[in-house]
């Protein structure tokens, strides 16, 4: 499977998850199923963040795009989660991905330093990234940042899928989502089938992937608030 095919599958599972959050009654079997399916999206987003980070020509611009769409997504995300346009209780997942990208950037910088003590700032960046995710209450929190780091550190490691499987199990456990652990494990199946190709991507589609997140959340939130 190429990158864009897997991303479209992730967009579909994200849509189901957010329909459950915004429109369906809590605790119902269909709601729980859609929430369950949504964990595929989290794993895929972290995986392709690392892929995009590794392929980008400008890490500064890459981080800038994440920041832009994190800001654009915050008001719709607040409306979906709390019913209010402004809320500090929960931040959208793009903040988690941005923090993860910055930690990867720090790790890249550390690789250029010959002395061990010069790598300490990168270790500190991991701790700071985790704390920011937790204290900022971003989606998946500091554990989401560590999931990004897991894919970063294992990207070119032999036997990486076994390591990532264990890492995903720990991610589910510490996110208090152990019941969803099996689906997180299944998320690796399409990622194992990833052939490294971009697919039919172009600039419009690239930004379409980014824009899908705030746009569909806004539509669902407005429907939940004003139509249902």
């Amino acid at each position: 499977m190429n990158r864009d095919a897997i991303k479209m599958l992730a967009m579909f599972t994200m849509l189901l998850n957010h329909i459950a959050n915004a429109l369906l009654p809590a605790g119902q079997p269909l709601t729980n199923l859609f929430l369950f399916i949504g964990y595929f999206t989290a794993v895929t987003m972290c995986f392709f963040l690392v892929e995009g980070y590794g392929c980008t020509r400008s890490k500064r611009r890459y981080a800038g795009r994440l920041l832009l769409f994190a800001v654009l997504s915050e008001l719709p995300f607040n409306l979906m989660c709390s019913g209010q346009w402004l809320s500090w209780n929960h931040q959208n997942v793009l903040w988690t991905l941005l923090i993860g990208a910055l930690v990867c950037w720090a790790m890249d910088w550390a690789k250029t330093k010959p002395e061990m003590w010069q790598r300490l700032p990168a270790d500190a960046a991991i701790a700071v990234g985790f704390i920011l995710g937790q204290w900022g209450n971003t989606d998946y929190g500091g554990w989401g940042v560590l999931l990004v780091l897991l894919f970063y550190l294992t990207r070119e490691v032999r036997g990486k899928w076994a390591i990532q499987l264990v890492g995903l199990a720990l991610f589910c456990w510490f996110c208090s989502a152990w019941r969803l652990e099996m689906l997180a494990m299944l998320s690796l199946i399409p990622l194992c089938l990833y052939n490294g190709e971009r697919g039919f991507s172009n600039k419009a589609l690239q930004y379409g992937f980014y824009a899908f997140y705030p746009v569909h959340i806004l539509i669902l939130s407005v429907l939940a608030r004003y139509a249902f």
Side-chain angles (χ1 to χ4, degrees), residues 21-98:
N21 276 300
L23 302 179
L24 299 182
Q28 298 299 313
L30 184 62
T31 305
N32 293 336
L33 175 63
F34 283 6
L35 292 173
F36 185 84
I37 290 172
Y39 265 70
F40 169 80
T41 307
V43 176
T44 305
M45 291 179 77
C46 291
F47 178 87
F48 280 109
L49 171 82
V50 173
E51 286 294 304
Y53 171 85
C55 296
T56 186
R57 296 178 181 176
S58 172
K59 293 177 173 55
R60 190 186 304 274
R61 291 181 180 178
Y62 191 71
R65 285 196 298 271
L66 288 170
L67 175 60
L68 172 63
F69 282 95
V71 172
L72 292 176
S73 301
E74 192 58 30
L75 294 182
F77 186 81
N78 290 339
L79 187 62
M80 181 179 72
C81 292
S82 66
Q84 301 175 350
W85 287 104
L86 295 176
S87 173
W88 301 105
N89 294 331
H90 195 186
Q91 318 310 320
N92 72 77
V93 72
L94 293 183
W95 293 111
T96 307
L97 297 180
L98 174 60

Side-chain angles (χ1 to χ4, degrees), residues 19-212:
I19 286 174
N21 276 300
L23 302 179
L24 299 182
Q28 298 299 313
L30 184 62
T31 305
N32 293 336
L33 175 63
F34 283 6
L35 292 173
F36 185 84
I37 290 172
Y39 265 70
F40 169 80
T41 307
V43 176
T44 305
M45 291 179 77
C46 291
F47 178 87
F48 280 109
L49 171 82
V50 173
E51 286 294 304
Y53 171 85
C55 296
T56 186
R57 296 178 181 176
S58 172
K59 293 177 173 55
R60 190 186 304 274
R61 291 181 180 178
Y62 191 71
R65 285 196 298 271
L66 288 170
L67 175 60
L68 172 63
F69 282 95
V71 172
L72 292 176
S73 301
E74 192 58 30
L75 294 182
F77 186 81
N78 290 339
L79 187 62
M80 181 179 72
C81 292
S82 66
Q84 301 175 350
W85 287 104
L86 295 176
S87 173
W88 301 105
N89 294 331
H90 195 186
Q91 318 310 320
N92 72 77
V93 72
L94 293 183
W95 293 111
T96 307
L97 297 180
L98 174 60
I99 295 169
L102 294 177
V103 171
C104 293
W105 199 352
M107 298 292 287
D108 274 351
W109 176 84
K111 290 178 181 178
T112 66
K113 303 301 177 183
E115 300 296 334
M116 183 64 69
W117 67 268
Q118 292 177 306
R119 302 184 183 185
L120 291 177
D123 297 330
I126 297 173
V128 171
F130 179 82
I131 292 170
L132 284 176
Q134 291 293 99
W135 286 1
N137 202 21
T138 64
D139 222 6
Y140 305 106
W143 300 107
V145 176
L146 295 185
L147 184 59
V148 170
L149 189 61
L150 170 69
F151 286 122
Y152 170 81
L153 293 174
T154 58
R155 189 179 180 211
E156 298 182 0
V157 174
R158 178 177 293 182
K160 65 180 181 180
W161 301 115
I163 300 172
Q164 291 169 359
L165 191 66
V166 174
L168 283 174
L170 293 174
F171 167 75
C172 290
W173 180 268
F174 286 109
C175 278
S176 300
W178 60 270
R179 295 179 184 85
L180 305 178
E181 183 176 323
M182 182 175 292
L183 184 68
M185 304 304 103
L186 294 175
S187 301
L188 286 180
I189 295 176
L191 297 182
C192 288
L193 298 175
Y194 174 49
N195 58 16
E197 297 178 1
R198 297 180 63 181
F200 41 83
S201 182
N202 52 43
K203 281 293 182 181
L205 187 59
Q206 177 188 7
Y207 282 94
F209 284 132
Y210 282 102
F212 174 78

